[in-house]
Amino acid sequence: MFNSSGAILHGQERSNWIRLRTLIFLRWVAIVGQLAAITVSQQMYNLQLEFGLCYLAIGVSVVGNLIAIFVFPENKRLNETENFMMVLFDLLQLSFLLYLTGGLNNPFAMLMLGPVTISASVLGLRSTILIGGCAIMLVTMLAVNHLPLVTESGEVLRLPDMFVFGNWAAITIATLFMGAYSRRVSSEMHSMSDALAATQMALAREQKLTDLGGVVAAAAHELGTPLATIKLTSAELFEELDDRPDLREDAQLIREQADRCRDILRNMGRAGKDDLHLRQAPLSAVLNEAAEPHMDRGKEIIFEEHPGSGTAFQQPSILRKPEVIHGLRNLVQNAVDFARTTVWLESSWNENFISIRIMDDGRGFPPQTIGRIGDPFMRRRRQETDRPSRPGYEGMGLGLFIAKTLLERSGAELRFANGPEWTGDVPVMANRTGAIVEVRWPRRSIDARAGDNIVPLGQNRPIET
């Protein structure tokens, strides 16, 4: 089963994906907006602000951007700490500008949510909590401590205390909500992206194994004729060298080594399934191939066939797609891992559908998670809880997600349930009380003899390696 410890599966490393130039560009946008707001308040409304300090605060951002542009390379990517410092600087700079321009009486106070949202999207949980906590403290300080907005006539522009409190409450609640919302959505997106990448890697691995087996099978096929010629020639020499025992032994050795080469290629070619004749196989053969790695794991695996009413008993021949085999193999592994003694693999078909049910006599799926089965759970299973039922197994919780994704790619629909809760068309035996997974394809998407799925026979094409 797929297992990876690479950084691709660690969401906390995603802050390293942000380029410095991206944050520099966003800061330039903020600088232009701040300059425009200060200029309009001065030229159009004649507000009496501390313009020197305002331009100083904006100038610090400009200097920081220029230093970052000339000191660091264009492809510089920031780590977690550097990203945290950049966002914290922007938060403090904006807070200082708001302090100079009326605090929470300034409608631009809502911009305090920007750094919080960015930190929740790209930074780790600890950094996000720190940024959110700083934002709430700064907003609280701005509510009670700021320079007033004064017009040209000396009038102080000030909201009623109730509205100031409302602004404080709105920004505080929005900080918590937007931070949690952005964090949850970005985590879901990152988890799905990582899991899809893992699925692609698992499928690529399965495809490589299939291709390698195809190369071996092709080699065995091509070498069959010369090996047969060597064996025939060595047999004739063996019969004609009765008077030369030393050469007779050499001829016997050649024949034995030719037989040995044939056996080696035959054994290596067992996985060679990319031959045109083997791109399709009976349903039971594909199911046996998927279950084969788990046959000797101490659990009994029982195969059953149930043709639909009014359907020919002869089982259909289906396409041997790598995603089908790998997806079924993951489902069988999951059933074997958690079964007590027995796993049942039922195949059924009718004129419209081909179905496979994988059942066991274990404890079944946890009721609280059965509705979310197939989602990528990006966390390691605790060894102390899983070791009794899954000895020696340490995974990323991606098995069912990978299986579901691969099988759905082949056109299948999956259903997950527990034995007593099953409401499918075909009833379940009483002793099958564990988990049930049904994989169901429309015949046109998996049947090797349906429409566009028919593979014309001819010369095998070379496999790219």
Side-chain angles (χ1 to χ4, degrees), residues 189-235:
M189 294 176 61
H190 295 165
S191 296
M192 183 62 69
S193 176
D194 287 340
L196 287 173
T199 303
Q200 294 292 342
M201 293 171 64
L203 181 57
R205 176 179 177 272
E206 186 71 19
Q207 185 64 59
K208 287 294 183 182
L209 292 175
T210 301
D211 290 349
L212 180 61
V215 171
V216 174
H221 176 73
E222 297 296 334
L223 291 176
T225 299
L227 285 175
T229 303
I230 293 173
K231 182 178 179 180
L232 178 61
T233 304
S234 62

Side-chain angles (χ1 to χ4, degrees), residues 67-84:
I67 292 175
I69 290 174
F70 290 108
V71 172
F72 297 101
E74 189 172 351
N75 60 348
K76 166 72 175 176
R77 296 188 182 273
L78 304 178
N79 58 32
E80 175 83 10
T81 302
E82 292 168 340
N83 267 310
F84 172 76

Side-chain angles (χ1 to χ4, degrees), residues 123-134:
L123 300 181
L125 179 60
R126 183 175 61 180
S127 299
T128 300
I129 293 175
L130 289 175
I131 293 293
C134 287

Side-chain angles (χ1 to χ4, degrees), residues 314-436:
Q314 182 180 3
Q315 61 182 294
S317 188
I318 66 172
L319 299 176
R320 290 193 64 265
K321 296 181 178 181
E323 53 263 44
V324 172
I325 296 173
H326 192 83
L328 291 175
R329 187 169 294 164
N330 273 8
L331 294 178
V332 173
Q333 173 178 326
N334 193 73
V336 172
D337 286 338
F338 292 101
R340 292 188 176 92
T341 60
T342 310
V343 173
W344 292 269
L345 304 182
E346 288 186 357
S347 56
S348 60
W349 60 91
N350 56 34
E351 295 297 331
N352 300 315
F353 296 98
I354 295 175
S355 302
I356 293 174
R357 286 197 301 182
I358 301 172
M359 299 169 286
D360 61 71
D361 59 351
R363 293 174 296 177
F365 296 116
Q368 67 273 16
T369 62
I370 199 166
R372 295 168 32 213
I373 293 175
D375 290 343
F377 299 104
M378 306 299 294
R379 61 177 182 268
R380 293 187 180 274
R381 293 183 173 91
R382 295 181 180 177
Q383 295 184 8
E384 64 269 19
T385 59
D386 281 342
R387 191 171 296 278
S389 59
R390 307 185 80 154
Y393 178 80
E394 181 182 3
M396 295 299 296
L398 288 174
L400 285 176
F401 173 81
I402 291 175
K404 185 173 183 288
T405 303
L406 293 178
L407 291 169
E408 286 178 345
R409 174 180 294 185
S410 69
E413 294 182 359
L414 277 74
R415 291 181 58 193
F416 301 90
N418 291 323
E421 304 166 0
W422 179 255
T423 57
D425 299 333
V426 181
V428 175
M429 305 273 303
N431 59 336
R432 304 175 190 185
T433 58
I436 298 178

Side-chain angles (χ1 to χ4, degrees), residues 144-272:
V144 297
N145 193 8
H146 55 266
L147 298 182
L149 288 173
V150 182
T151 64
E152 186 178 14
S153 61
E155 179 185 359
V156 177
L157 301 177
R158 186 176 184 276
L159 293 174
D161 291 341
M162 182 178 295
F163 282 92
V164 173
F165 174 78
N167 284 343
W168 172 84
I171 296 175
T172 301
I173 294 173
T175 297
L176 297 174
F177 174 77
M178 292 299 295
Y181 181 85
S182 299
R183 177 75 184 176
R184 182 60 183 269
V185 171
S186 62
S187 296
E188 291 285 340
M189 294 176 61
H190 295 165
S191 296
M192 183 62 69
S193 176
D194 287 340
L196 287 173
T199 303
Q200 294 292 342
M201 293 171 64
L203 181 57
R205 176 179 177 272
E206 186 71 19
Q207 185 64 59
K208 287 294 183 182
L209 292 175
T210 301
D211 290 349
L212 180 61
V215 171
V216 174
H221 176 73
E222 297 296 334
L223 291 176
T225 299
L227 285 175
T229 303
I230 293 173
K231 182 178 179 180
L232 178 61
T233 304
S234 62
E236 292 176 353
L237 290 175
F238 180 80
E239 295 175 356
E240 295 176 2
L241 294 174
D242 292 337
D243 55 340
R244 299 288 301 275
D246 52 340
L247 296 179
R248 183 182 175 89
E249 291 179 1
D250 291 340
Q252 176 68 17
L253 180 61
I254 292 173
R255 184 168 64 177
E256 292 174 354
Q257 293 303 310
D259 289 337
R260 183 183 178 191
C261 290
R262 179 200 62 196
D263 295 337
I264 291 174
L265 288 172
R266 180 181 299 165
N267 292 333
M268 292 177 63
R270 288 180 61 201

